[in-house]
Amino acid sequence: MEFINTIPFKPDPLVLRTLLGACQVHKNTDLGKHVANMIIEQDPDDPAAYVLLSNLYASAGQWDKVAEIRKHMKQRNLAKEAGCSWVEAGNLIHKFHVGDTSHKQAFEIYQELHALVNEIKEMGYVPNTDFVLHDVGEEEKEKYLLQHSEKIAVAFGFIGSVGSSKPVRVFKNLRICGDCHSAFKYFSVARAREIVVRDSNRFHHFRNGSCSCNDHW
């Protein structure tokens, strides 16, 4: 915030959205609300500001605030962009949405995903349910995390290239989920494979249990 206040030009919404995303990581709802208002002043019809603020309130368990924002978005006809991830295999692009079961290899994909998660839990991975933006129990939240499109895409990348040492390359139209980011560091060790994810912010190169972004994105 201090940096934004001292730069010699008006910060654009991209800079402010980055700060708003950081407010969720650090659970700073007061600053997050202030930053969201700064974005909305510049662009009242930017759904990203409302979505990020809603996510911030959800991670803090303030579900009444989440409901208010969703109601406001509905009144203004502002829609959140649906998240999806895609990966190339066999010269074909395979696209996945949250909880996707439409792929012909869906059974094998989820088998691999369950096996991976069980394996990395033994390595120290703990699902971060703060990234589940629904008011449900912990067990249900873990199920939601398993259904994220980037996890499905990476699992498919593994089963679609068994025996290969090449990196699994995944693209996502939105910012990568924090829990998926943590899981992929473990995946890179469990399968001894590099994973490259290009999200809406940057490239993430996972190798030997770490990411090129040093956990800042």
Side-chain angles (χ1 to χ4, degrees):
M1 192 70 235
E2 183 180 341
F3 170 75
I4 286 174
N5 286 335
T6 55
I7 56 177
F9 53 85
K10 189 174 183 179
D12 64 17
L14 177 60
V15 172
L16 295 172
R17 283 197 296 268
T18 302
L19 177 57
L20 183 49
C23 288
Q24 181 184 350
V25 173
H26 296 282
K27 295 183 171 59
N28 192 329
T29 52
D30 291 336
L31 181 58
K33 185 175 180 180
H34 174 66
V35 175
N37 287 330
M38 290 174 69
I39 300 171
I40 293 166
E41 281 178 14
Q42 292 190 37
D43 185 1
D45 296 322
D46 179 6
Y50 296 101
V51 171
L52 285 168
L53 185 58
S54 174
N55 292 353
L56 173 58
Y57 283 135
S59 64
Q62 298 183 27
W63 300 107
D64 55 335
K65 298 286 187 182
V66 173
E68 284 179 20
I69 292 174
R70 288 177 179 170
K71 181 179 178 182
H72 183 73
M73 289 181 69
K74 189 174 182 179
Q75 290 172 341
R76 294 182 63 86
N77 291 319
L78 299 175
K80 175 187 176 182
E81 183 180 3
C84 67
S85 301
W86 56 99
V87 59
E88 183 180 348
N91 295 320
L92 293 174
I93 301 297
H94 299 260
K95 187 176 182 180
F96 301 94
H97 292 89
V98 175
D100 205 329
T101 57
S102 61
H103 196 277
K104 64 181 181 180
Q105 290 181 269
F107 179 77
E108 292 90 340
I109 293 169
Y110 280 100
Q111 262 193 330
E112 170 71 356
L113 203 45
H114 281 285
L116 273 166
V117 170
N118 287 335
E119 190 173 338
I120 65 175
K121 278 183 176 179
E122 293 182 3
M123 297 165 61
Y125 163 73
V126 177
N128 189 341
T129 55
D130 285 347
F131 291 97
V132 178
L133 309 175
H134 302 278
D135 190 10
V136 295
E138 286 298 306
E139 188 175 336
E140 198 66 24
K141 285 182 178 182
E142 284 197 31
K143 290 180 182 178
Y144 274 114
L145 289 175
L146 199 65
Q147 297 173 0
H148 284 189
S149 66
E150 57 265 56
K151 280 197 183 83
I152 299 171
V154 168
F156 173 74
F158 284 150
I159 66 172
S161 58
V162 175
S164 173
S165 60
K166 292 182 178 179
V168 173
R169 302 180 187 276
V170 170
F171 295 82
K172 185 178 182 184
N173 65 330
L174 303 177
R175 186 175 183 269
I176 186 174
C177 154
D179 177 76
C180 291
H181 190 274
S182 175
F184 291 168
K185 289 189 288 185
Y186 285 99
F187 283 5
S188 70
V189 175
R191 291 294 178 268
R193 293 279 297 276
E194 295 179 23
I195 303 167
V196 179
V197 178
R198 176 65 168 100
D199 70 2
S200 61
N201 277 22
R202 59 169 295 156
F203 281 95
H204 299 268
H205 190 173
F206 300 91
R207 179 171 54 187
N208 298 327
S210 62
C211 179
S212 57
C213 77
N214 292 318
D215 298 336
H216 296 283
W217 77 97

